Amino acid sequence: MAKRIVVALGGNALGANLPEQMEAVKTTSKAIVDLIEEGNEVVVVHGNGPQVGMIANAMAELTRSNPQKYIPCPLSVCGAMSQGYIGYDLQNALREEMLDRNIDKGVATVLTQVEVAADDPAFADPVKPIGPWMSEAEAKELEADRGYQFIHDEKQGFRRVVASPKPVNIVELDTIKSLVESNHVVISCGGGGIPVTKVQGNHLKGAAAVIDKDFAAEKLAEQLDADALIILTAVEKVAIGFGTDHEQWLDTLTAADVKRLSEANEFGRGSMLPKVQAASTFAESKPGRTALITLLEKARDGLAGKTGTTFTGDAE
């Protein structure tokens, strides 16, 4: 039976630089179109770690070249730039792959803002590194002029850190929904979306933050009333005891399993933990919803129940 699916792509699906990205999206598109070919409605969310870092570094170098002329580029703007050029490559590759298979669908990239709470505790404890390493003098100047916060490494110097708040609302949800319902494959919430907070009146202000793309994909899947959330990553299944003699690959996980294993520190904080938390949250959000974590190349087999780790709510 055809489903509405949100697919979250890991960094390995896009490559680390422009040439790699142009090649990677071809393979990625084949896996996504496998799902579309079976009649599913698909919305794609992607990461942007290397890409937004590259943009932030380039903008920082521009500022360094002439501080009187060029001011630092806001991180929200860097995120918007990355959504645009990743979307451009990905939608072209998806369009070509669908036409090669005689699938008549449009593809659209939606520049997506994602609302976060201004009082999210993450803003008081920024941990996400962004941009280039710099000298103490440069860091102190930016700290004084713009309120940036930094981490320090004895060998590399100072590097800016920003918050990673949880997504609250997908601002362009109605646009995404309309495109899906009019026979389009939609690329949205790139890099977790452009983080914005509500300020006076109806104004949305870009926030110096990075939203985890798996949490953004989960929020989008909920608000789109999707049937499934598929998180594609570098492993075929979720494991406990990963990399040890006691390594065990898991076929299924309930919300209770995720809670218990997370508390036991079985999942890496910067890698698998947000994925399993996002998958579990979606599966628990409404009866009948499922989530899957698997390899990019195994997406179709995973959806068919042949591989991957499937997440279900405790009541199911």
Side-chain angles (χ1 to χ4, degrees):
M1 186 176 71
K3 297 180 178 180
R4 179 173 291 182
I5 303 168
V6 172
V7 176
L9 300 175
N12 58 319
L14 295 172
N17 52 49
L18 284 170
E20 283 186 19
Q21 180 174 301
M22 292 181 72
E23 285 302 312
V25 294
K26 296 176 184 177
T27 302
T28 298
S29 294
K30 291 181 188 299
I32 294 170
V33 176
D34 283 346
L35 303 176
I36 297 166
E37 197 168 37
E38 296 183 351
N40 298 302
E41 296 177 337
V42 175
V43 178
V44 180
V45 175
H46 59 78
N48 71 344
Q51 294 85 355
V52 77
M54 180 186 72
I55 292 169
N57 288 348
M59 292 300 177
E61 287 302 317
L62 185 64
T63 301
R64 284 172 173 173
S65 72
N66 190 340
Q68 302 304 314
K69 183 177 181 181
Y70 302 112
I71 64 169
C73 184
L75 185 56
S76 56
V77 175
C78 294
M81 291 180 185
S82 73
Q83 282 193 14
Y85 91 77
I86 294 171
Y88 161 65
D89 277 347
L90 190 52
Q91 75 183 38
N92 271 352
L94 284 167
R95 175 185 176 276
E96 182 178 353
E97 184 66 27
M98 287 193 294
L99 288 173
D100 286 347
R101 301 194 202 185
N102 296 312
I103 298 171
D104 183 19
K105 272 183 175 285
V107 190
T109 298
V110 176
L111 201 66
T112 315
Q113 301 172 97
V114 176
E115 184 186 343
V116 298
D119 60 354
D120 189 303
F123 285 110
D125 184 27
V127 295
K128 197 82 172 178
I130 191 76
W133 291 96
M134 57 187 70
S135 69
E136 184 176 5
E138 288 174 310
K140 284 186 174 179
E141 184 177 348
L142 286 171
E143 187 176 32
D145 290 349
R146 304 185 71 85
Y148 289 179
Q149 293 176 270
F150 293 87
I151 54 171
H152 178 233
D153 180 88
E154 289 291 341
K155 294 182 179 179
Q156 300 183 84
F158 291 77
R159 194 178 184 197
R160 185 186 177 194
V161 287
V162 297
S164 185
K166 291 291 196 301
V168 172
N169 184 49
I170 311 300
V171 178
E172 282 75 25
L173 178 67
D174 288 345
T175 301
I176 296 165
K177 187 178 294 185
S178 294
L179 285 165
V180 170
E181 291 172 353
S182 61
N183 200 37
H184 283 71
V185 179
V186 183
I187 302 160
S188 66
C189 296
I194 304 163
V196 294
T197 58
K198 281 184 178 177
V199 290
Q200 189 173 12
N202 294 313
H203 181 61
L204 295 174
K205 181 181 180 181
V210 174
I211 302 169
D212 186 282
K213 70 104 176 40
D214 296 311
F215 290 137
E218 190 284 323
K219 181 61 67 176
L220 176 63
E222 273 196 48
Q223 295 190 336
L224 265 181
D225 196 23
D227 301 295
L229 170 66
I230 301 178
I231 298 176
L232 300 177
T233 186
V235 292
E236 189 167 343
K237 296 182 181 182
V238 177
I240 54 175
F242 184 72
T244 71
D245 293 339
H246 307 291
E247 185 176 85
Q248 179 184 350
W249 299 98
L250 306 173
D251 295 324
T252 59
L253 281 169
T254 66
D257 293 332
V258 169
K259 185 175 186 298
R260 173 175 52 82
L261 294 170
S262 297
E263 290 173 350
N265 296 317
E266 284 287 356
F267 308 121
R269 287 198 171 276
S271 54
M272 190 55 73
L273 182 61
K275 299 182 194 313
V276 298
Q277 288 178 333
S280 178
T281 298
F282 179 73
E284 188 76 351
S285 64
K286 185 179 179 180
R289 288 176 173 171
T290 59
L292 169 74
I293 295 178
T294 194
L295 274 171
L296 171 70
E297 298 83 1
K298 300 286 187 176
R300 180 161 55 183
D301 286 346
L303 190 63
K306 298 177 181 179
T307 190
T309 303
T310 300
F311 294 73
T312 61
D314 287 335
E316 296 181 34

